[in-house]
Amino acid sequence: MFGQCRSQHPAALANNNTGQTIKYSVKQPPLTTPWTTKVGTNPWPEYPRPQLERSEWQNLNGIWQYQDAESLDGLQTPPFGQALTHEVLVPSCLESALSGLQGTDTLYSWLRTNFTVPKSFKDQQVLLNFGAVDYEATVFVNGKEAGFNRGGYFHFTVDVTEYVDLDADNELLVFVHDPTDSGETVIPIGKQRLVPSHIFYRPCSGIWQSIWIEAAPGDYITRLDVDADMEGKVTITANSAGQNGVAVDVKVYDGDKQVGHGQGTADKTFDFTVDNVKLWSPDSPKLYNVTVTMGEDEVHSYTGFRTISKGKVDGVVRPLLNGEFVFMFGTLDQGYWPDGLYTPPNREAMVYDLEVLKDLGFNMVRKHIKVESALFYRACDEMGLLVIQDMPSARPLQDPLPNEEQQEEFARQLELLVNQFKSYPSIITWVVYNEGWGQITEYYPEFDLTDRVRELDPSRLVDSTSGWIDHGAGDFSDNHHYANPQCGTPFYSLQSSPHDSSRIGMQGEFGGIGHNVSIENLWNVEAAINAINETYEIDETLEAWNYRGHILLKELEDQIRKFECSAGVWTQTTDVEGEVNGLMTYDRRVKRVDEKQWKDDIQALYDAAAERGARS
């Protein structure tokens, strides 16, 4: 079932004196999931970018080759035309079991494959698309450098038309540098650590989201921004690769029936109105298909009609969805997998987590200091799950703080986050900083960053500082407190600021109660197991764990009724490595929740909010 069961250092991986590439096999991870053995060698076959979809494309996921590059000097001598030492699964984290490597300290890597450009691509541009590469990628095609990208969470495209041969074998070689938290490096990394410790986890390096080629005309759409509001107004920007002023035609469909039409020009924002639209909400996640034509380029997309705002309801500042106060309740959703780390084993596994949350009655997830693939947000759009989206943080606890250059890079990547994901209806709020991690305190950068986010995306709310270091920026007064909540209340902990009634009261994190399980459902790594007792609270039985959950949710309900609480985030969806405080275990095989109790308690939160001016 599995390959060799041990974690290997890249130096060991590269020490292959046989002259033959070691064949791919899944390594035995410290913990499996029900999907580990279902991944196969052609993972993630779905079209990876559902909001800018082209008809002519080819998936490059599958078995590639890998070799340790040892240092940045490796860039000086690319291994063109050479077999590398190991086969590897793409997409996957090089540190994961699914990669076939389960490496450690994979700071410098070579990855290669060969591909054929179909004859149907003749006389068109050949675009090479990467879903995400952590952290820096230098791309070579047929022995020539074709592109470079920095940023481990964002998609990028390389036009490789001049480098490829049609209907022939083409070599693709990618050099990846991922420093994570080595030395004085300060980059957006979320919870990745070279040396994991309790709430910080095994890192992810390499090509961890899908890669594909597609055909496009010479002047093609590079980014499509779509916003549709509750009044039926559709706002469109079709960014182009060529000259400005090309005509753009937009058609909106309800199923196969055309219900709207608008026209404008490339690289200029324009709008039009669709009559009698059905609104998108968690109760009714209605989506409309969109076809956009710019010159010879035609792409397919979709949207949902909804408006996100804030306003006073009975004297309290509230988040509003389609003009109504909707209490937002979700989980801290970290998106880690024991077999794939950052990369879910497959779409079924990814959607399973969301279905569990939706079935329990949660209407939101806080995507915690990680960015998922586009298919995750498509699933939330389809399912009706609101998303509070964090910017991946730099190193925590100001150790060390970013210098000026590093801060500029953080700001650049924050802009990428907003621009690349602002068309997904489910995303309702951007989070700039989490608990002060990477947040400079000599001045208050969150104010300028918040202004920039609002400039890029005026259609959403901004949670400038989720927990801790709050100087008054943004739309939320966001408290973190374990285990019990302090949501919109006149009391607060030492690490949280007093509630600010001029902003939305939110419990950005609470809960975190733990329940230990037997070894077959634990991340079987000694350091992680030894850290379990660092959990905020350990309950000896599931009965006690569910009782504590009930008490804490009842306390939140009481705060909704008495104070100014508008949203809550429960920690967390699943266990992760040494954390045992999930609604499910890390392997997704055990649900801790008493489902009827949790459904009733969650509904009671919405009912309490309805009495204060929300709909149930």
Side-chain angles (χ1 to χ4, degrees):
M1 182 186 302
F2 296 106
Q4 189 175 4
C5 176
R6 67 187 181 97
S7 177
Q8 301 186 60
H9 189 279
L13 291 171
N15 188 20
N16 172 23
N17 297 320
T18 65
Q20 296 181 342
T21 302
I22 296 175
K23 296 296 183 181
Y24 171 78
S25 64
V26 180
K27 292 291 185 286
Q28 174 69 57
L31 183 66
T32 64
T33 73
W35 301 276
T36 305
T37 59
K38 300 179 181 179
V39 173
T41 56
N42 293 292
W44 290 93
E46 300 85 359
Y47 188 86
R49 194 184 55 204
Q51 284 198 327
L52 184 61
E53 184 171 349
R54 290 190 172 90
S55 58
E56 288 190 273
W57 73 289
Q58 180 175 296
N59 198 322
L60 299 189
N61 295 344
I63 300 300
W64 287 39
Q65 292 182 351
Y66 160 89
Q67 187 167 290
D68 174 47
E70 297 185 356
S71 72
L72 281 174
D73 293 340
L75 266 173
Q76 306 304 315
T77 54
F80 298 133
Q82 301 175 29
L84 305 187
T85 58
H86 284 69
E87 289 187 340
V88 64
L89 189 69
V90 171
S92 64
C93 303
L94 299 177
E95 296 85 350
S96 73
L98 291 180
S99 72
L101 302 176
Q102 205 161 236
T104 58
D105 298 326
T106 49
L107 275 64
Y108 309 95
S109 305
W110 285 109
L111 296 109
R112 73 173 299 276
T113 191
N114 289 77
F115 66 97
T116 300
V117 180
K119 291 181 180 179
S120 61
F121 284 26
K122 184 180 180 181
D123 299 325
Q124 299 186 81
Q125 303 302 112
V126 180
L127 306 181
L128 174 63
N129 301 288
F130 294 81
V133 181
D134 200 354
Y135 172 67
E136 293 178 340
T138 306
V139 180
F140 299 88
V141 176
N142 291 333
K144 297 180 180 179
E145 184 173 340
F148 172 82
N149 186 75
R150 176 179 291 120
Y153 298 92
F154 309 109
H155 61 78
F156 63 98
T157 298
V158 181
D159 187 335
V160 296
T161 310
E162 64 179 287
Y163 305 107
V164 296
D165 297 317
L166 196 67
D167 196 28
D169 198 44
N170 296 278
E171 181 187 50
L172 172 58
L173 190 65
V174 183
F175 180 86
V176 180
H177 174 216
D178 183 19
T180 312
D181 62 335
S182 58
E184 296 296 303
T185 302
V186 180
I187 59 176
I189 54 173
K191 287 201 169 185
Q192 301 180 71
R193 294 296 180 273
L194 290 176
V195 181
S197 175
H198 192 45
I199 66 168
F200 302 108
Y201 318 129
R202 187 172 293 194
C204 174
S205 303
I207 303 171
W208 67 276
Q209 290 185 23
S210 289
I211 177 172
W212 73 105
I213 57 171
E214 62 188 357
D219 191 5
Y220 58 91
I221 298 171
T222 58
R223 193 182 84 220
L224 183 65
D225 299 339
V226 183
D227 178 61
D229 70 16
M230 63 183 288
E231 305 298 332
K233 179 181 176 182
V234 182
T235 303
I236 295 277
T237 309
N239 299 279
S240 72
Q243 296 180 350
N244 296 338
V246 180
V248 175
D249 187 86
V250 182
K251 295 177 181 178
V252 179
Y253 296 87
D254 184 354
D256 294 328
K257 180 183 178 182
Q258 183 177 328
V259 294
H261 180 230
Q263 292 180 316
T265 56
D267 303 299
K268 292 183 179 180
T269 300
F270 63 95
D271 59 68
F272 59 94
T273 300
V274 179
D275 296 328
N276 303 314
V277 296
K278 299 176 183 178
L279 301 186
W280 186 96
S281 72
D283 293 340
S284 180
K286 174 67 177 177
L287 298 174
Y288 288 78
N289 294 321
V290 177
T291 298
V292 180
T293 303
M294 185 192 76
E296 298 180 356
D297 195 16
E298 180 177 276
V299 298
H300 297 281
S301 188
Y302 70 92
T303 193
F305 289 87
R306 87 288 178 267
T307 297
I308 301 150
S309 60
K310 65 177 178 180
K312 282 194 174 182
V313 178
D314 293 336
V316 179
V317 180
R318 301 292 194 185
L320 305 178
L321 177 63
N322 301 327
E324 299 182 23
F325 167 36
V326 176
F327 185 84
M328 300 183 292
F329 189 59
T331 57
L332 196 74
D333 195 73
Q334 307 216 56
Y336 272 82
W337 298 82
D339 43 14
L341 302 180
Y342 257 21
T343 308
N346 54 29
R347 186 182 182 278
E348 177 189 343
M350 179 189 73
V351 170
Y352 175 79
D353 280 5
L354 301 176
E355 289 176 336
V356 167
L357 298 178
K358 187 72 175 181
D359 185 60
L360 287 171
F362 292 99
N363 65 3
M364 175 265 285
V365 292
R366 178 184 169 199
K367 178 46 61 179
H368 190 42
I369 51 180
K370 181 197 176 189
V371 182
E372 296 287 356
S373 73
L375 294 174
F376 174 91
Y377 302 98
R378 170 76 195 206
C380 292
D381 293 340
E382 293 173 334
M383 206 174 298
L385 272 172
L386 306 169
V387 178
I388 294 175
Q389 177 63 55
D390 290 12
M391 171 64 189
S393 61
R395 292 165 72 158
L397 309 176
Q398 292 73 48
D399 182 26
L401 282 170
N403 59 32
E404 183 178 352
E405 181 181 358
Q406 292 163 342
Q407 180 65 17
E408 289 178 359
E409 180 61 24
F410 177 86
R412 185 190 72 86
Q413 292 189 33
L414 175 63
E415 292 189 10
L416 285 177
L417 171 66
V418 175
N419 280 329
Q420 291 191 3
F421 293 91
K422 64 185 178 183
S423 295
Y424 292 96
S426 55
I427 297 177
I428 56 168
T429 297
W430 305 109
V431 177
V432 178
Y433 286 113
N434 173 73
E435 294 187 348
W437 296 2
Q439 182 181 349
I440 297 171
T441 52
E442 294 177 358
Y443 61 98
Y444 304 157
E446 64 268 24
F447 283 93
D448 285 342
L449 293 175
T450 298
D451 289 344
R452 182 57 177 149
V453 170
R454 285 174 171 160
E455 180 183 355
L456 293 170
D457 180 16
S459 72
R460 287 182 177 83
L461 303 175
V462 184
D463 187 355
S464 305
T465 54
S466 185
W468 298 17
I469 305 173
D470 182 6
H471 303 113
D475 298 306
F476 291 85
S477 179
D478 184 347
N479 178 292
H480 291 189
H481 192 258
Y482 291 100
N484 60 303
Q486 297 178 336
C487 185
T489 66
F491 39 90
Y492 58 95
S493 63
L494 292 177
Q495 287 185 321
S496 293
S497 302
H499 172 62
D500 177 359
S501 292
S502 70
R503 295 178 293 159
I504 299 165
M506 176 174 170
Q507 189 65 46
E509 294 180 26
F510 81 112
I513 54 175
H515 166 257
N516 211 345
V517 291
S518 53
I519 192 64
E520 60 263 28
N521 302 116
L522 282 175
W523 178 250
N524 192 4
V525 172
E526 184 178 357
I529 292 173
N530 290 342
I532 285 175
N533 282 335
E534 296 179 35
T535 305
Y536 301 105
E537 171 184 315
I538 298 286
D539 301 315
E540 290 188 3
T541 66
L542 279 180
E543 291 76 13
W545 184 88
N546 277 288
Y547 168 76
R548 285 291 289 141
H550 173 70
I551 293 299
L552 295 174
L553 292 183
K554 283 299 179 184
E555 190 171 350
L556 183 65
E557 178 191 340
D558 197 46
Q559 293 174 12
I560 295 169
R561 295 183 187 278
K562 292 183 177 180
F563 302 115
E564 298 182 350
C565 182
S566 295
V569 178
W570 179 271
T571 301
Q572 59 185 324
T573 305
T574 73
D575 297 349
V576 186
E577 300 196 8
E579 295 188 70
V580 292
N581 51 8
L583 301 176
M584 295 182 284
T585 51
Y586 196 18
D587 59 3
R588 278 72 169 173
R589 289 190 171 96
V590 177
K591 291 183 185 177
R592 292 189 173 92
V593 291
D594 177 325
E595 294 194 25
K596 183 180 185 307
Q597 172 200 303
W598 279 75
K599 288 179 181 180
D600 290 346
D601 287 344
I602 291 171
Q603 183 60 47
L605 303 179
Y606 303 138
D607 293 342
E611 296 179 13
R612 297 290 301 274
R615 63 179 176 86
S616 60

